Amino acid sequence: MRGIGTPITGTGGSPSGSFRILHVSTGNVCRSPITERLTRHALADRLGDPLWGGLIVESAGTWGHEGAPMEANAATVLTDFGADPSGFVGRELLDDHVIRADLVLTATRDHRAQVISMGHSAGLRTFTLKEFTRLVRAIDTATLPPLQDGVVERAVALVRAAAALRGWLLAPTAEADEVHDPYGAPLPFFRSIGDEINEALDPVVTALTGVPART
């Protein structure tokens, strides 16, 4: 069996031994920074490993505010969850980000379409966050490689299983796969979006790591 971090090729263009998760929204100052940092926080909580077994988590925006800090309300939401908002710098989505990503999770269907339109065989590894959550919930995680074989190997298998289910498990409504933009909204709305994102991330991180959230 492979140990955690043992080299294996991802689904995108990540270096051997790593698996890169890319979160995408519009400006990369609200939704995707929240999702990026909540993912990192959850992985650290589940795995207790600063390198998360080879998982790399980052974000970018289709109209990204290059070099900008995240919105203050987004940072507050992260602090509410115990996650670290410090040091964040906004990025505009580039071809290289898509090429290197093994899993792209977007805030909306429009973002998903924009990522896929960039090419680089991104279709099979690009989902909206809520779409991916819905698909992951339908996967029997007992069929995935165990954590002892490495988080990267498990992540690769999870993405392939989700892609195989996509045409069979449709959203009940178009809105079900969307995370709305809180940009310019008051803090309570940011907090509701943070709760929504955190709820969607929980089954994904559990499936990736094989470790449930602490109660």
Side-chain angles (χ1 to χ4, degrees):
M1 293 193 301
R2 294 182 177 88
I4 293 177
T6 301
I8 181 172
T9 303
T11 52
S14 289
S16 181
S18 65
F19 184 95
R20 192 177 296 268
I21 302 170
L22 176 67
H23 294 293
V24 175
S25 62
T26 302
N28 194 215
V29 291
C30 297
R31 287 168 292 182
S32 51
I34 291 173
T35 314
E36 173 197 313
R37 294 304 175 90
L38 285 180
T39 304
R40 292 185 185 185
H41 179 67
L43 288 171
D45 182 63
R46 311 292 176 90
L47 299 178
D49 179 351
L51 297 179
W52 307 305
L55 300 180
I56 300 166
V57 185
E58 54 193 2
S59 63
T62 55
W63 291 88
H65 298 256
E66 189 74 29
M70 75 174 74
E71 284 288 296
N73 283 344
T76 299
V77 167
L78 289 171
T79 302
D80 289 345
F81 281 103
D84 183 9
S86 66
F88 181 85
V89 177
R91 303 191 305 173
E92 182 177 356
L93 181 66
L94 302 176
D95 285 77
D96 188 54
H97 300 146
V98 177
I99 290 168
R100 292 188 299 160
D102 298 291
L103 172 62
V104 184
L105 297 176
T106 69
T108 70
R109 290 168 297 145
D110 283 347
H111 296 134
R112 182 185 63 194
Q114 289 179 65
V115 171
I116 293 172
S117 73
M118 295 171 74
H120 317 301
S121 302
L124 290 177
R125 49 195 166 90
T126 303
F127 310 79
T128 74
L129 170 61
K130 287 187 173 182
E131 174 191 22
F132 193 66
T133 300
R134 174 165 44 80
L135 297 171
V136 163
R137 288 184 185 276
I139 294 168
D140 180 1
T141 55
T143 64
L144 299 175
L147 187 59
Q148 301 95 293
D149 285 3
V151 181
V152 170
E153 183 167 338
R154 188 178 176 93
V156 169
L158 183 67
V159 172
R160 288 175 179 162
L165 279 176
R166 178 149 46 188
W168 299 93
L169 190 63
L170 303 179
T173 66
E175 286 290 303
D177 282 344
E178 306 275 295
V179 176
H180 295 294
D181 192 355
Y183 185 76
L187 181 57
F189 187 68
F190 266 84
R191 284 186 164 136
S192 71
I193 293 298
D195 289 340
E196 199 174 317
I197 290 170
N198 189 62
E199 183 179 345
L201 281 174
D202 178 67
V204 173
V205 176
T206 297
L208 279 171
T209 63
V211 180
R214 299 178 186 179
T215 56

